[in-house]
Amino acid sequence: MSNKIRLAKYIAHAGVCSRKQASRLIDDGVVMVNNRPANHIDHVNEQDDVVVNGQAVKGPADLVYFAYHKPVGIDCKLNENDPASLIHHLPTLTRVYPIGRLDKDSRGLLVLTNDGGFCNQLIHPDFHQPKRYLVTVDKPIDNAFCEKMAAGIPIDKQVTLLCEVTKIADNQFSIILKQGLNRQIRKMAHYCGFKVIDLFRVQFSELALSQLNLPENHYIQINKTDISNI
């Protein structure tokens, strides 16, 4: 018999919803444990009868990994009530979550999983997983712009980490980041006097969008090792 864990964590590991959402379901009285209304302090395992909204929940879901080619206009917040939410474009059999986000106005590679431990490793600063973007701005750039961006820009009361910036066209550059501040590239460019008009993520860790032959607004299942070997 496996060790018992908190009920909300058990529901989340089963792929039903996030832990926070599981707590709300317990508050709403739609979770039953062993034929009685559930409590937040309940600890369960596979030997217990757990029912959510009338559906039996059994054990942790298989760990799965997906790559999704996100178009502009899709919001990475998993809000079922928002027609633009990413949740309406994902697999339905197992609940998965994005590892890091792309803002609604950006497009490109998004990696999703229900493997919480792996997700936490990838986003932890100690591992510094690189993410590569192609960025188009509203006017021509020069080498001085690239050097300034690469050296670190003060945004949100901190200076961004050193990064790689390469000019690839008159008004387009490639940037490789090892951090993920909110709207970081847009804020960095704005500080330098430029407006981002297209932001396209082409690589996440070891996984490149070019490897996948993946049309926009489509997803495919991938292996954990396709993303990273950490």
Side-chain angles (χ1 to χ4, degrees):
M1 183 183 298
S2 62
N3 293 330
K4 295 198 173 193
I5 60 175
R6 276 207 179 253
L7 177 60
K9 183 176 181 180
Y10 181 87
I11 294 171
H13 282 191
V16 176
C17 59
S18 70
R19 198 179 305 187
K20 183 181 291 186
Q21 289 169 323
S23 293
R24 294 195 191 106
L25 292 174
I26 295 169
D27 285 336
D28 292 342
V30 298
V31 181
M32 303 287 289
V33 172
N34 299 327
N35 298 313
R36 61 165 175 78
N39 297 304
H40 286 284
I41 60 173
D42 285 331
H43 284 66
V44 298
N45 61 18
E46 291 87 347
Q47 309 304 315
D48 294 291
D49 292 322
V50 179
V51 176
V52 177
N53 280 322
Q55 299 294 318
V57 175
K58 276 296 179 186
D62 291 337
L63 297 178
V64 291
Y65 310 86
F66 291 91
Y68 172 63
H69 188 165
K70 185 187 106 59
V72 170
I74 299 297
D75 194 322
C76 284
K77 294 178 182 177
L78 302 181
N79 181 358
E80 292 182 355
N81 297 320
D82 180 2
S85 172
L86 175 66
I87 200 169
H88 303 299
H89 301 267
L90 298 180
T92 56
L93 294 179
T94 301
R95 188 69 176 265
V96 292
Y97 305 88
I99 303 176
R101 294 178 175 177
L102 283 171
D103 64 56
K104 193 171 182 178
D105 298 326
S106 301
R107 60 192 179 98
L109 178 61
L110 199 62
V111 177
L112 306 110
T113 184
N114 61 348
D115 186 342
F118 182 62
C119 175
N120 289 336
Q121 278 188 304
L122 286 177
I123 64 177
H124 196 282
D126 287 350
F127 290 96
H128 297 303
Q129 297 299 303
K131 297 174 286 292
R132 181 169 180 257
Y133 303 80
L134 300 181
V135 187
T136 305
V137 290
D138 59 339
K139 54 189 175 182
I141 61 174
D142 55 19
N143 290 334
F145 166 85
C146 294
E147 291 170 2
K148 185 175 182 179
M149 290 278 286
I153 299 293
I155 62 170
D156 298 338
K157 300 181 180 180
Q158 59 185 302
V159 177
T160 58
L161 297 178
L162 301 180
C163 61
E164 296 180 37
V165 181
T166 306
K167 179 179 176 180
I168 56 177
D170 282 348
N171 65 332
Q172 190 177 61
F173 61 94
S174 164
I175 182 169
I176 300 175
L177 297 180
K178 292 186 177 180
Q179 65 183 143
L181 304 178
N182 181 45
R183 297 179 70 85
Q184 179 173 344
I185 296 172
R186 296 180 186 278
K187 291 177 181 178
M188 291 170 69
H190 181 264
Y191 181 88
C192 296
F194 292 78
K195 180 181 179 181
V196 171
I197 58 177
D198 184 54
L199 197 156
F200 182 30
R201 183 154 72 196
V202 296
Q203 186 165 349
F204 185 100
S205 190
E206 297 171 23
L207 183 66
L209 193 57
S210 59
Q211 301 169 223
L212 302 174
N213 191 27
L214 185 62
E216 198 170 63
N217 204 24
H218 286 69
Y219 64 82
I220 57 170
Q221 190 163 353
I222 56 177
N223 295 316
K224 177 180 181 178
T225 53
D226 293 331
I227 308 165
S228 174
N229 286 312
I230 64 171

PDB file of all heavy atoms in Angstrom, residues 125-157:
ATOM      1  N   PRO A 125      15.662  28.394 -11.163  1.00  0.00           N
ATOM      2  CA  PRO A 125      16.823  29.175 -11.625  1.00  0.00           C
ATOM      3  C   PRO A 125      18.131  28.395 -11.650  1.00  0.00           C
ATOM      4  O   PRO A 125      19.026  28.705 -12.442  1.00  0.00           O
ATOM      5  CB  PRO A 125      16.890  30.324 -10.614  1.00  0.00           C
ATOM      6  CG  PRO A 125      15.506  30.448 -10.067  1.00  0.00           C
ATOM      7  CD  PRO A 125      14.945  29.056 -10.063  1.00  0.00           C
ATOM      8  N   ASP A 126      18.267  27.373 -10.804  1.00  0.00           N
ATOM      9  CA  ASP A 126      19.525  26.621 -10.759  1.00  0.00           C
ATOM     10  C   ASP A 126      19.819  25.880 -12.054  1.00  0.00           C
ATOM     11  O   ASP A 126      20.972  25.559 -12.347  1.00  0.00           O
ATOM     12  CB  ASP A 126      19.499  25.608  -9.603  1.00  0.00           C
ATOM     13  CG  ASP A 126      19.626  26.284  -8.244  1.00  0.00           C
ATOM     14  OD1 ASP A 126      19.921  27.492  -8.219  1.00  0.00           O
ATOM     15  OD2 ASP A 126      19.405  25.604  -7.225  1.00  0.00           O
ATOM     16  N   PHE A 127      18.775  25.584 -12.835  1.00  0.00           N
ATOM     17  CA  PHE A 127      18.984  24.788 -14.046  1.00  0.00           C
ATOM     18  C   PHE A 127      19.136  25.643 -15.302  1.00  0.00           C
ATOM     19  O   PHE A 127      19.697  25.189 -16.301  1.00  0.00           O
ATOM     20  CB  PHE A 127      17.833  23.783 -14.215  1.00  0.00           C
ATOM     21  CG  PHE A 127      17.861  22.691 -13.184  1.00  0.00           C
ATOM     22  CD1 PHE A 127      17.091  22.800 -12.030  1.00  0.00           C
ATOM     23  CD2 PHE A 127      18.657  21.582 -13.340  1.00  0.00           C
ATOM     24  CE1 PHE A 127      17.111  21.800 -11.060  1.00  0.00           C
ATOM     25  CE2 PHE A 127      18.690  20.579 -12.372  1.00  0.00           C
ATOM     26  CZ  PHE A 127      17.922  20.691 -11.242  1.00  0.00           C
ATOM     27  N   HIS A 128      18.600  26.876 -15.280  1.00  0.00           N
ATOM     28  CA  HIS A 128      18.832  27.838 -16.366  1.00  0.00           C
ATOM     29  C   HIS A 128      18.586  27.231 -17.748  1.00  0.00           C
ATOM     30  O   HIS A 128      19.465  27.180 -18.594  1.00  0.00           O
ATOM     31  CB  HIS A 128      20.255  28.392 -16.298  1.00  0.00           C
ATOM     32  CG  HIS A 128      20.550  29.165 -15.054  1.00  0.00           C
ATOM     33  ND1 HIS A 128      19.813  30.256 -14.668  1.00  0.00           N
ATOM     34  CD2 HIS A 128      21.501  28.991 -14.102  1.00  0.00           C
ATOM     35  CE1 HIS A 128      20.293  30.738 -13.530  1.00  0.00           C
ATOM     36  NE2 HIS A 128      21.307  29.991 -13.153  1.00  0.00           N
ATOM     37  N   GLN A 129      17.386  26.731 -17.987  1.00  0.00           N
ATOM     38  CA  GLN A 129      17.061  26.162 -19.297  1.00  0.00           C
ATOM     39  C   GLN A 129      16.931  27.280 -20.332  1.00  0.00           C
ATOM     40  O   GLN A 129      16.158  28.227 -20.142  1.00  0.00           O
ATOM     41  CB  GLN A 129      15.755  25.364 -19.217  1.00  0.00           C
ATOM     42  CG  GLN A 129      15.832  24.162 -18.296  1.00  0.00           C
ATOM     43  CD  GLN A 129      16.888  23.165 -18.746  1.00  0.00           C
ATOM     44  OE1 GLN A 129      16.850  22.677 -19.867  1.00  0.00           O
ATOM     45  NE2 GLN A 129      17.830  22.867 -17.876  1.00  0.00           N
ATOM     46  N   PRO A 130      17.667  27.204 -21.441  1.00  0.00           N
ATOM     47  CA  PRO A 130      17.604  28.267 -22.443  1.00  0.00           C
ATOM     48  C   PRO A 130      16.317  28.212 -23.258  1.00  0.00           C
ATOM     49  O   PRO A 130      15.789  27.137 -23.549  1.00  0.00           O
ATOM     50  CB  PRO A 130      18.820  27.982 -23.331  1.00  0.00           C
ATOM     51  CG  PRO A 130      19.027  26.500 -23.201  1.00  0.00           C
ATOM     52  CD  PRO A 130      18.631  26.146 -21.800  1.00  0.00           C
ATOM     53  N   LYS A 131      15.832  29.382 -23.618  1.00  0.00           N
ATOM     54  CA  LYS A 131      14.673  29.513 -24.491  1.00  0.00           C
ATOM     55  C   LYS A 131      15.035  30.518 -25.588  1.00  0.00           C
ATOM     56  O   LYS A 131      15.498  31.619 -25.291  1.00  0.00           O
ATOM     57  CB  LYS A 131      13.448  29.971 -23.703  1.00  0.00           C
ATOM     58  CG  LYS A 131      13.007  28.976 -22.645  1.00  0.00           C
ATOM     59  CD  LYS A 131      11.880  29.505 -21.781  1.00  0.00           C
ATOM     60  CE  LYS A 131      12.352  30.560 -20.801  1.00  0.00           C
ATOM     61  NZ  LYS A 131      13.245  30.024 -19.759  1.00  0.00           N
ATOM     62  N   ARG A 132      14.824  30.136 -26.844  1.00  0.00           N
ATOM     63  CA  ARG A 132      15.235  30.989 -27.972  1.00  0.00           C
ATOM     64  C   ARG A 132      14.006  31.578 -28.650  1.00  0.00           C
ATOM     65  O   ARG A 132      13.019  30.876 -28.908  1.00  0.00           O
ATOM     66  CB  ARG A 132      16.056  30.185 -28.978  1.00  0.00           C
ATOM     67  CG  ARG A 132      16.549  31.011 -30.163  1.00  0.00           C
ATOM     68  CD  ARG A 132      17.574  30.244 -31.000  1.00  0.00           C
ATOM     69  NE  ARG A 132      18.036  31.031 -32.121  1.00  0.00           N
ATOM     70  CZ  ARG A 132      17.634  30.867 -33.377  1.00  0.00           C
ATOM     71  NH1 ARG A 132      16.771  29.904 -33.674  1.00  0.00           N
ATOM     72  NH2 ARG A 132      18.104  31.633 -34.337  1.00  0.00           N
ATOM     73  N   TYR A 133      14.092  32.860 -28.953  1.00  0.00           N
ATOM     74  CA  TYR A 133      12.998  33.591 -29.576  1.00  0.00           C
ATOM     75  C   TYR A 133      13.510  34.335 -30.811  1.00  0.00           C
ATOM     76  O   TYR A 133      14.654  34.811 -30.834  1.00  0.00           O
ATOM     77  CB  TYR A 133      12.419  34.635 -28.612  1.00  0.00           C
ATOM     78  CG  TYR A 133      11.931  34.097 -27.301  1.00  0.00           C
ATOM     79  CD1 TYR A 133      12.833  33.819 -26.266  1.00  0.00           C
ATOM     80  CD2 TYR A 133      10.577  33.881 -27.071  1.00  0.00           C
ATOM     81  CE1 TYR A 133      12.389  33.329 -25.041  1.00  0.00           C
ATOM     82  CE2 TYR A 133      10.138  33.399 -25.837  1.00  0.00           C
ATOM     83  CZ  TYR A 133      11.047  33.118 -24.839  1.00  0.00           C
ATOM     84  OH  TYR A 133      10.618  32.640 -23.626  1.00  0.00           O
ATOM     85  N   LEU A 134      12.640  34.467 -31.806  1.00  0.00           N
ATOM     86  CA  LEU A 134      12.859  35.376 -32.925  1.00  0.00           C
ATOM     87  C   LEU A 134      11.936  36.572 -32.705  1.00  0.00           C
ATOM     88  O   LEU A 134      10.724  36.399 -32.541  1.00  0.00           O
ATOM     89  CB  LEU A 134      12.552  34.705 -34.256  1.00  0.00           C
ATOM     90  CG  LEU A 134      13.375  33.455 -34.602  1.00  0.00           C
ATOM     91  CD1 LEU A 134      12.975  32.925 -35.971  1.00  0.00           C
ATOM     92  CD2 LEU A 134      14.865  33.750 -34.545  1.00  0.00           C
ATOM     93  N   VAL A 135      12.509  37.758 -32.698  1.00  0.00           N
ATOM     94  CA  VAL A 135      11.756  38.952 -32.319  1.00  0.00           C
ATOM     95  C   VAL A 135      11.841  39.994 -33.430  1.00  0.00           C
ATOM     96  O   VAL A 135      12.935  40.315 -33.915  1.00  0.00           O
ATOM     97  CB  VAL A 135      12.295  39.559 -31.009  1.00  0.00           C
ATOM     98  CG1 VAL A 135      11.400  40.701 -30.545  1.00  0.00           C
ATOM     99  CG2 VAL A 135      12.405  38.492 -29.925  1.00  0.00           C
ATOM    100  N   THR A 136      10.690  40.514 -33.825  1.00  0.00           N
ATOM    101  CA  THR A 136      10.620  41.589 -34.805  1.00  0.00           C
ATOM    102  C   THR A 136      10.172  42.864 -34.095  1.00  0.00           C
ATOM    103  O   THR A 136       9.186  42.846 -33.334  1.00  0.00           O
ATOM    104  CB  THR A 136       9.626  41.252 -35.929  1.00  0.00           C
ATOM    105  OG1 THR A 136       9.998  39.998 -36.514  1.00  0.00           O
ATOM    106  CG2 THR A 136       9.628  42.317 -37.010  1.00  0.00           C
ATOM    107  N   VAL A 137      10.891  43.951 -34.338  1.00  0.00           N
ATOM    108  CA  VAL A 137      10.560  45.231 -33.705  1.00  0.00           C
ATOM    109  C   VAL A 137      10.155  46.245 -34.765  1.00  0.00           C
ATOM    110  O   VAL A 137      10.205  45.982 -35.967  1.00  0.00           O
ATOM    111  CB  VAL A 137      11.740  45.756 -32.853  1.00  0.00           C
ATOM    112  CG1 VAL A 137      11.913  44.891 -31.616  1.00  0.00           C
ATOM    113  CG2 VAL A 137      13.032  45.796 -33.652  1.00  0.00           C
ATOM    114  N   ASP A 138       9.750  47.438 -34.313  1.00  0.00           N
ATOM    115  CA  ASP A 138       9.090  48.401 -35.198  1.00  0.00           C
ATOM    116  C   ASP A 138      10.037  49.268 -36.012  1.00  0.00           C
ATOM    117  O   ASP A 138       9.574  50.067 -36.826  1.00  0.00           O
ATOM    118  CB  ASP A 138       8.156  49.297 -34.373  1.00  0.00           C
ATOM    119  CG  ASP A 138       8.886  50.073 -33.284  1.00  0.00           C
ATOM    120  OD1 ASP A 138       9.997  49.660 -32.889  1.00  0.00           O
ATOM    121  OD2 ASP A 138       8.338  51.091 -32.810  1.00  0.00           O
ATOM    122  N   LYS A 139      11.350  49.120 -35.812  1.00  0.00           N
ATOM    123  CA  LYS A 139      12.293  49.932 -36.594  1.00  0.00           C
ATOM    124  C   LYS A 139      13.646  49.230 -36.629  1.00  0.00           C
ATOM    125  O   LYS A 139      13.873  48.262 -35.879  1.00  0.00           O
ATOM    126  CB  LYS A 139      12.409  51.332 -36.004  1.00  0.00           C
ATOM    127  CG  LYS A 139      12.757  51.379 -34.526  1.00  0.00           C
ATOM    128  CD  LYS A 139      12.627  52.795 -33.964  1.00  0.00           C
ATOM    129  CE  LYS A 139      12.864  52.820 -32.462  1.00  0.00           C
ATOM    130  NZ  LYS A 139      12.703  54.175 -31.889  1.00  0.00           N
ATOM    131  N   PRO A 140      14.550  49.665 -37.466  1.00  0.00           N
ATOM    132  CA  PRO A 140      15.836  48.967 -37.604  1.00  0.00           C
ATOM    133  C   PRO A 140      16.654  48.973 -36.318  1.00  0.00           C
ATOM    134  O   PRO A 140      16.612  49.914 -35.529  1.00  0.00           O
ATOM    135  CB  PRO A 140      16.539  49.775 -38.706  1.00  0.00           C
ATOM    136  CG  PRO A 140      15.438  50.417 -39.473  1.00  0.00           C
ATOM    137  CD  PRO A 140      14.381  50.738 -38.464  1.00  0.00           C
ATOM    138  N   ILE A 141      17.391  47.891 -36.127  1.00  0.00           N
ATOM    139  CA  ILE A 141      18.282  47.753 -34.980  1.00  0.00           C
ATOM    140  C   ILE A 141      19.721  47.751 -35.476  1.00  0.00           C
ATOM    141  O   ILE A 141      19.988  47.604 -36.667  1.00  0.00           O
ATOM    142  CB  ILE A 141      17.998  46.453 -34.193  1.00  0.00           C
ATOM    143  CG1 ILE A 141      18.217  45.222 -35.092  1.00  0.00           C
ATOM    144  CG2 ILE A 141      16.591  46.468 -33.625  1.00  0.00           C
ATOM    145  CD1 ILE A 141      18.109  43.900 -34.364  1.00  0.00           C
ATOM    146  N   ASP A 142      20.653  47.933 -34.539  1.00  0.00           N
ATOM    147  CA  ASP A 142      22.070  47.877 -34.894  1.00  0.00           C
ATOM    148  C   ASP A 142      22.801  47.025 -33.856  1.00  0.00           C
ATOM    149  O   ASP A 142      22.200  46.492 -32.911  1.00  0.00           O
ATOM    150  CB  ASP A 142      22.675  49.284 -34.988  1.00  0.00           C
ATOM    151  CG  ASP A 142      22.469  50.110 -33.721  1.00  0.00           C
ATOM    152  OD1 ASP A 142      22.193  49.510 -32.654  1.00  0.00           O
ATOM    153  OD2 ASP A 142      22.590  51.346 -33.785  1.00  0.00           O
ATOM    154  N   ASN A 143      24.100  46.893 -34.018  1.00  0.00           N
ATOM    155  CA  ASN A 143      24.875  46.059 -33.092  1.00  0.00           C
ATOM    156  C   ASN A 143      24.868  46.613 -31.669  1.00  0.00           C
ATOM    157  O   ASN A 143      24.922  45.859 -30.696  1.00  0.00           O
ATOM    158  CB  ASN A 143      26.309  45.919 -33.594  1.00  0.00           C
ATOM    159  CG  ASN A 143      26.389  45.060 -34.843  1.00  0.00           C
ATOM    160  OD1 ASN A 143      25.527  44.210 -35.059  1.00  0.00           O
ATOM    161  ND2 ASN A 143      27.411  45.278 -35.666  1.00  0.00           N
ATOM    162  N   ALA A 144      24.799  47.960 -31.559  1.00  0.00           N
ATOM    163  CA  ALA A 144      24.759  48.568 -30.229  1.00  0.00           C
ATOM    164  C   ALA A 144      23.504  48.143 -29.469  1.00  0.00           C
ATOM    165  O   ALA A 144      23.543  47.894 -28.253  1.00  0.00           O
ATOM    166  CB  ALA A 144      24.818  50.091 -30.351  1.00  0.00           C
ATOM    167  N   PHE A 145      22.388  48.041 -30.183  1.00  0.00           N
ATOM    168  CA  PHE A 145      21.141  47.573 -29.573  1.00  0.00           C
ATOM    169  C   PHE A 145      21.317  46.150 -29.042  1.00  0.00           C
ATOM    170  O   PHE A 145      20.932  45.839 -27.909  1.00  0.00           O
ATOM    171  CB  PHE A 145      20.010  47.626 -30.604  1.00  0.00           C
ATOM    172  CG  PHE A 145      18.776  46.859 -30.198  1.00  0.00           C
ATOM    173  CD1 PHE A 145      17.809  47.436 -29.394  1.00  0.00           C
ATOM    174  CD2 PHE A 145      18.582  45.545 -30.636  1.00  0.00           C
ATOM    175  CE1 PHE A 145      16.676  46.717 -29.019  1.00  0.00           C
ATOM    176  CE2 PHE A 145      17.453  44.828 -30.269  1.00  0.00           C
ATOM    177  CZ  PHE A 145      16.498  45.418 -29.463  1.00  0.00           C
ATOM    178  N   CYS A 146      21.894  45.275 -29.861  1.00  0.00           N
ATOM    179  CA  CYS A 146      22.092  43.876 -29.459  1.00  0.00           C
ATOM    180  C   CYS A 146      22.998  43.777 -28.230  1.00  0.00           C
ATOM    181  O   CYS A 146      22.731  42.999 -27.307  1.00  0.00           O
ATOM    182  CB  CYS A 146      22.684  43.079 -30.615  1.00  0.00           C
ATOM    183  SG  CYS A 146      21.567  42.920 -32.032  1.00  0.00           S
ATOM    184  N   GLU A 147      24.055  44.569 -28.223  1.00  0.00           N
ATOM    185  CA  GLU A 147      24.984  44.540 -27.100  1.00  0.00           C
ATOM    186  C   GLU A 147      24.312  45.036 -25.815  1.00  0.00           C
ATOM    187  O   GLU A 147      24.532  44.485 -24.732  1.00  0.00           O
ATOM    188  CB  GLU A 147      26.212  45.389 -27.423  1.00  0.00           C
ATOM    189  CG  GLU A 147      27.086  44.784 -28.521  1.00  0.00           C
ATOM    190  CD  GLU A 147      28.166  45.743 -29.001  1.00  0.00           C
ATOM    191  OE1 GLU A 147      28.247  46.878 -28.444  1.00  0.00           O
ATOM    192  OE2 GLU A 147      28.901  45.376 -29.935  1.00  0.00           O
ATOM    193  N   LYS A 148      23.495  46.065 -25.950  1.00  0.00           N
ATOM    194  CA  LYS A 148      22.797  46.614 -24.784  1.00  0.00           C
ATOM    195  C   LYS A 148      21.803  45.598 -24.223  1.00  0.00           C
ATOM    196  O   LYS A 148      21.736  45.384 -23.000  1.00  0.00           O
ATOM    197  CB  LYS A 148      22.077  47.901 -25.185  1.00  0.00           C
ATOM    198  CG  LYS A 148      21.416  48.641 -24.035  1.00  0.00           C
ATOM    199  CD  LYS A 148      20.833  49.967 -24.505  1.00  0.00           C
ATOM    200  CE  LYS A 148      20.221  50.751 -23.369  1.00  0.00           C
ATOM    201  NZ  LYS A 148      19.672  52.065 -23.837  1.00  0.00           N
ATOM    202  N   MET A 149      21.047  44.964 -25.108  1.00  0.00           N
ATOM    203  CA  MET A 149      20.076  43.960 -24.678  1.00  0.00           C
ATOM    204  C   MET A 149      20.779  42.784 -23.995  1.00  0.00           C
ATOM    205  O   MET A 149      20.317  42.261 -22.968  1.00  0.00           O
ATOM    206  CB  MET A 149      19.268  43.456 -25.876  1.00  0.00           C
ATOM    207  CG  MET A 149      18.304  44.471 -26.470  1.00  0.00           C
ATOM    208  SD  MET A 149      16.726  44.569 -25.580  1.00  0.00           S
ATOM    209  CE  MET A 149      15.938  43.047 -26.125  1.00  0.00           C
ATOM    210  N   ALA A 150      21.904  42.353 -24.563  1.00  0.00           N
ATOM    211  CA  ALA A 150      22.610  41.177 -24.051  1.00  0.00           C
ATOM    212  C   ALA A 150      23.249  41.431 -22.693  1.00  0.00           C
ATOM    213  O   ALA A 150      23.391  40.509 -21.876  1.00  0.00           O
ATOM    214  CB  ALA A 150      23.676  40.734 -25.052  1.00  0.00           C
ATOM    215  N   ALA A 151      23.632  42.676 -22.429  1.00  0.00           N
ATOM    216  CA  ALA A 151      24.372  42.996 -21.208  1.00  0.00           C
ATOM    217  C   ALA A 151      23.488  43.072 -19.967  1.00  0.00           C
ATOM    218  O   ALA A 151      23.983  43.025 -18.836  1.00  0.00           O
ATOM    219  CB  ALA A 151      25.111  44.315 -21.395  1.00  0.00           C
ATOM    220  N   GLY A 152      22.166  43.185 -20.160  1.00  0.00           N
ATOM    221  CA  GLY A 152      21.257  43.278 -19.021  1.00  0.00           C
ATOM    222  C   GLY A 152      20.509  44.593 -19.014  1.00  0.00           C
ATOM    223  O   GLY A 152      21.112  45.660 -19.189  1.00  0.00           O
ATOM    224  N   ILE A 153      19.196  44.510 -18.836  1.00  0.00           N
ATOM    225  CA  ILE A 153      18.324  45.674 -18.884  1.00  0.00           C
ATOM    226  C   ILE A 153      17.566  45.780 -17.559  1.00  0.00           C
ATOM    227  O   ILE A 153      17.050  44.781 -17.055  1.00  0.00           O
ATOM    228  CB  ILE A 153      17.310  45.540 -20.046  1.00  0.00           C
ATOM    229  CG1 ILE A 153      18.023  45.451 -21.400  1.00  0.00           C
ATOM    230  CG2 ILE A 153      16.309  46.685 -20.034  1.00  0.00           C
ATOM    231  CD1 ILE A 153      18.754  46.706 -21.807  1.00  0.00           C
ATOM    232  N   PRO A 154      17.483  46.978 -16.975  1.00  0.00           N
ATOM    233  CA  PRO A 154      16.714  47.121 -15.734  1.00  0.00           C
ATOM    234  C   PRO A 154      15.210  47.112 -15.999  1.00  0.00           C
ATOM    235  O   PRO A 154      14.685  48.003 -16.671  1.00  0.00           O
ATOM    236  CB  PRO A 154      17.170  48.486 -15.198  1.00  0.00           C
ATOM    237  CG  PRO A 154      17.623  49.239 -16.412  1.00  0.00           C
ATOM    238  CD  PRO A 154      18.147  48.228 -17.373  1.00  0.00           C
ATOM    239  N   ILE A 155      14.531  46.067 -15.526  1.00  0.00           N
ATOM    240  CA  ILE A 155      13.069  46.008 -15.602  1.00  0.00           C
ATOM    241  C   ILE A 155      12.549  45.430 -14.291  1.00  0.00           C
ATOM    242  O   ILE A 155      13.204  44.613 -13.650  1.00  0.00           O
ATOM    243  CB  ILE A 155      12.565  45.154 -16.792  1.00  0.00           C
ATOM    244  CG1 ILE A 155      13.018  43.694 -16.650  1.00  0.00           C
ATOM    245  CG2 ILE A 155      13.009  45.719 -18.122  1.00  0.00           C
ATOM    246  CD1 ILE A 155      12.371  42.752 -17.654  1.00  0.00           C
ATOM    247  N   ASP A 156      11.385  45.876 -13.886  1.00  0.00           N
ATOM    248  CA  ASP A 156      10.727  45.349 -12.688  1.00  0.00           C
ATOM    249  C   ASP A 156      11.671  45.319 -11.483  1.00  0.00           C
ATOM    250  O   ASP A 156      11.769  44.340 -10.745  1.00  0.00           O
ATOM    251  CB  ASP A 156      10.184  43.938 -12.947  1.00  0.00           C
ATOM    252  CG  ASP A 156       9.134  43.915 -14.045  1.00  0.00           C
ATOM    253  OD1 ASP A 156       8.532  44.972 -14.316  1.00  0.00           O
ATOM    254  OD2 ASP A 156       8.920  42.836 -14.627  1.00  0.00           O
ATOM    255  N   LYS A 157      12.425  46.400 -11.299  1.00  0.00           N
ATOM    256  CA  LYS A 157      13.306  46.584 -10.135  1.00  0.00           C
ATOM    257  C   LYS A 157      14.440  45.569 -10.060  1.00  0.00           C
ATOM    258  O   LYS A 157      14.947  45.257  -8.979  1.00  0.00           O
ATOM    259  CB  LYS A 157      12.485  46.564  -8.838  1.00  0.00           C
ATOM    260  CG  LYS A 157      11.436  47.661  -8.767  1.00  0.00           C
ATOM    261  CD  LYS A 157      10.669  47.607  -7.461  1.00  0.00           C
ATOM    262  CE  LYS A 157       9.614  48.711  -7.417  1.00  0.00           C
ATOM    263  NZ  LYS A 157       8.833  48.685  -6.145  1.00  0.00           N
TER     264      LYS A 157
END
